[in-house]
Amino acid sequence: MFKLWSKRSLTCVILTAVVAGGLLVRPSAAEDKTTPSAASQADETKAGRERRMAWWHEAKFGLFIHWGIYSIPAGEWKGQQIGGIGEWIMHNARIPVAEYEQLAKQFNPVKFNAEEWVKLAKDAGMKYIVITSKHHDGFAMFASKASRYNIVDATPFKRDVLKELAAACRKHGIRLGFYYSQAQDWHHPGGANNFWDKEMKRVSMEQYIREKAGPQVKELLTNYGELAILWWDTPADMTPQRAEMFLPLLKLQPNIITNNRLGGGYEGDFGTPEQRIPAKGKSGYDWETCMTMNNTWGFKTRDQNWKSTDDLIRNLVDIVSKGGNFLLNVGPTAEGVIPQPSVERLREMGKWLKVNGVSIYGTTANPLGDLPWGRCTAKAGDKDKGTPDKLYLHVFGWPKGKLAVPGVNKKVAKAYLLADAQRKALTVNQEEGNLLIDVPAKAPDKCDSVVVLELTD
Ligand code: FHN
């Protein structure tokens, strides 16, 4: 029998307990690391990997959806407010399996409309969606032959919401990825980390992977058309051998992109800093910051601690200027509704991106040094098409009259405001690498005004 509480698993329990306590933890060093070779495509060439990752590099901005039966209690259990993040209520209130699974019988999200969610993501300027197919509570939000504890077999709703989302994503040109909690499963007696339910008759984690997690991942990779991303989470107790039980399945989706949370030493395609933005990016290192808009991933009625739209836009810009992607979360209600404060923020971000999107999508990290007034993104030109190299100066703090830009070593052919449809040239004084750009007195955008520099050799 394998040891249930190895030193490694204990570290993981402590980490997850801190997360569950609602603190914003720094992910472990392992969480931040990634290697160019994905677990699923270990023998691919560099060019092959670049082709597989190309859309993701272009996309920059995605929607994370944490949705499950935890949205029914929404942070409250038996009249008590339960601390920590909403989707952890089973763990944090130490709810036995037999009690928690009764929630499924009430789950009837009649207001769920896949098209509306996908259109909202699109309007927000997002290019992909990642949704929780099964979170740590073990409840599958899709039709599963591997476990009847799923939305089709165990709820009055009986609809496979992932199927509907996959169809809507295909229709609207949004890529779809699935989050799957491969290690923690508080419902299955072999899943990691349910230490509170004394009624559970433990089985091995191998048995859990063999009879539930493995077959479910296979279902996800088989039944929903082409998938963009498989987003593993919390590799508690994952040994290399256990991780390897999942790897052959990835061949079902040769182009899939995976994150670095499978465990067992498999680092996937990208790092996953959580609730934070790294101080600096790293060349050749792909990463995606995932972040909540309030303090919870899954819906919690009382959590109204919303970040402002300006902060969210600046976070997006900060991340992209360091070469990363931004996966921004919403936690729909038990009725299937995305909370209004989230909708408002997404629409406002979309408005900003409508004007300024070219300074985000398909750009690369800031080639200049630190900039006191904001951030910079870059785009290489195309000689064949006659398009110049460009720098996008994201000005958070609008200056009085002149914008000083240090470190520009190429000649500036033209400077203009992205918000100016006429592209009227701004006067630029260039002395060696230092620029002084004459800008209007009033910032075109109170959050982030973008000045474009077209460069020549
Ligand atoms: O424990 C989960 C948490 O509930 C949430 O899903 C986040 C999203 O990245 N991942 C884990 C904590 O790292």
Side-chain angles (χ1 to χ4, degrees):
M1 231 183 84
F2 77 94
K3 266 202 325 221
L4 199 60
W5 301 114
S6 61
K7 221 167 155 193
R8 196 186 153 85
S9 72
L10 213 60
T11 321
C12 222
V13 171
I14 292 166
L15 170 71
T16 46
V18 180
V19 174
L23 300 174
L24 302 185
V25 277
R26 293 188 139 250
S28 64
E31 228 177 41
D32 265 355
K33 252 173 60 189
T34 192
T35 57
S37 64
S40 49
Q41 294 90 357
D43 50 0
E44 78 185 335
T45 61
K46 219 172 159 213
R49 178 176 192 276
E50 192 40 52
R51 266 197 304 278
R52 189 166 53 81
M53 296 296 290
W55 75 262
W56 192 88
H57 288 143
E58 169 81 25
K60 305 294 180 196
F61 191 26
L63 181 68
F64 211 0
I65 305 178
H66 274 68
W67 197 34
I69 54 176
Y70 39 78
S71 58
I72 300 172
E76 185 178 320
W77 194 251
K78 296 189 174 161
Q80 299 284 316
Q81 286 303 310
I82 307 299
I85 40 187
E87 70 283 6
W88 272 69
I89 194 165
M90 180 178 179
H91 171 282
N92 293 357
R94 308 284 188 260
I95 306 171
V97 169
E99 261 184 65
Y100 185 86
E101 66 185 8
Q102 299 305 317
L103 288 172
K105 293 186 191 153
Q106 297 169 45
F107 193 64
N108 198 16
V110 289
K111 295 191 179 156
F112 168 71
N113 182 324
E115 286 232 3
E116 271 175 22
W117 288 12
V118 172
K119 278 199 231 150
L120 176 64
K122 203 167 176 170
D123 288 350
M126 291 161 151
K127 305 294 184 188
Y128 60 106
I129 292 178
V130 178
I131 183 166
T132 48
S133 63
K134 185 202 78 167
H135 204 267
H136 311 330
D137 65 357
F139 184 78
M141 295 292 281
F142 57 99
S144 174
K145 292 201 170 72
S147 160
R148 290 190 58 78
Y149 194 45
N150 73 70
I151 191 165
V152 174
D153 291 317
T155 76
F157 195 54
K158 294 187 190 311
R159 278 161 54 188
D160 183 337
V161 293
L162 300 194
K163 263 260 146 76
E164 294 179 28
L165 263 179
C169 281
R170 256 192 305 277
K171 180 167 165 195
H172 294 284
I174 294 279
R175 302 208 184 225
L176 180 64
F178 292 146
Y179 166 113
Y180 188 85
S181 174
Q182 77 284 8
Q184 291 201 74
D185 188 309
W186 306 326
H187 186 264
H188 192 286
N193 283 351
N194 183 337
F195 53 84
W196 60 91
D197 192 335
K198 304 298 174 214
E199 297 300 308
M200 267 188 151
K201 296 237 171 338
R202 297 263 157 210
V203 299
S204 71
M205 195 161 179
E206 282 72 13
Q207 184 176 333
Y208 151 70
I209 297 174
R210 253 194 325 269
E211 69 189 27
K212 184 173 180 184
Q216 286 198 331
V217 170
K218 186 169 181 193
E219 289 171 335
L220 291 170
L221 297 180
T222 310
N223 298 340
Y224 298 88
E226 182 158 15
L227 279 192
I229 295 166
L230 186 54
W231 217 95
W232 309 110
D233 204 7
T234 61
D237 295 341
M238 288 296 283
T239 60
Q241 292 72 26
R242 289 172 184 159
E244 277 153 24
M245 293 171 78
F246 292 100
L247 296 184
L249 300 173
L250 298 178
K251 297 212 162 40
L252 291 164
Q253 295 271 347
N255 292 322
I256 203 155
I257 293 174
T258 62
N259 73 357
N260 65 344
R261 294 190 183 185
L262 174 60
Y266 289 93
E267 293 176 339
D269 295 302
F270 63 91
T272 50
E274 178 165 323
Q275 300 286 35
R276 71 186 182 88
I277 301 171
K280 291 213 178 307
K282 225 191 307 165
S283 135
Y285 170 93
D286 288 321
W287 56 278
E288 171 189 73
T289 281
C290 55
M291 192 177 277
T292 52
M293 287 194 200
N294 50 357
N295 290 344
T296 183
W297 302 92
F299 179 67
K300 235 186 139 173
T301 322
R302 298 263 180 113
D303 185 343
Q304 297 298 331
N305 190 21
W306 300 99
K307 294 174 183 73
S308 70
T309 304
D310 283 2
D311 283 346
L312 293 171
I313 291 173
R314 288 181 181 183
N315 283 350
L316 171 67
V317 172
D318 188 19
I319 289 166
V320 174
S321 79
K322 293 167 180 169
N325 278 18
F326 191 24
L327 187 64
L328 183 59
N329 184 72
V330 296
T333 67
E335 286 190 301
V337 174
I338 297 178
Q340 196 51 30
S342 301
V343 173
E344 283 161 15
R345 283 157 180 76
L346 290 175
R347 292 210 184 287
E348 286 162 8
M349 291 183 86
K351 246 194 222 155
W352 183 87
L353 278 162
K354 259 219 149 69
V355 177
N356 300 292
V358 318
S359 69
I360 297 292
Y361 308 119
T363 60
T364 49
N366 174 18
L368 312 175
D370 285 349
L371 299 162
W373 36 256
R375 300 288 182 271
C376 173
T377 55
K379 201 174 275 173
D382 185 333
K383 286 222 164 82
D384 295 341
K385 290 186 187 145
T387 55
D389 290 349
K390 285 181 186 161
L391 291 179
Y392 298 100
L393 309 175
H394 295 262
V395 188
F396 299 165
W398 196 248
K400 289 201 172 68
K402 288 187 193 296
L403 180 70
V405 192
V408 181
N409 297 321
K410 284 184 154 186
K411 222 173 138 347
V412 176
K414 186 177 177 187
Y416 57 90
L417 292 165
L418 206 46
D420 174 11
Q422 317 306 319
R423 304 281 192 255
K424 200 170 125 268
L426 302 171
T427 306
V428 180
N429 277 302
Q430 186 162 19
E431 274 184 31
E432 312 236 306
N434 294 317
L435 305 185
L436 270 185
I437 307 171
D438 289 352
V439 292
K442 195 170 171 287
D445 189 295
K446 70 176 173 41
C447 170
D448 173 12
S449 308
V450 181
V451 177
V452 187
L453 300 182
E454 292 186 355
L455 306 174
T456 58
D457 293 325

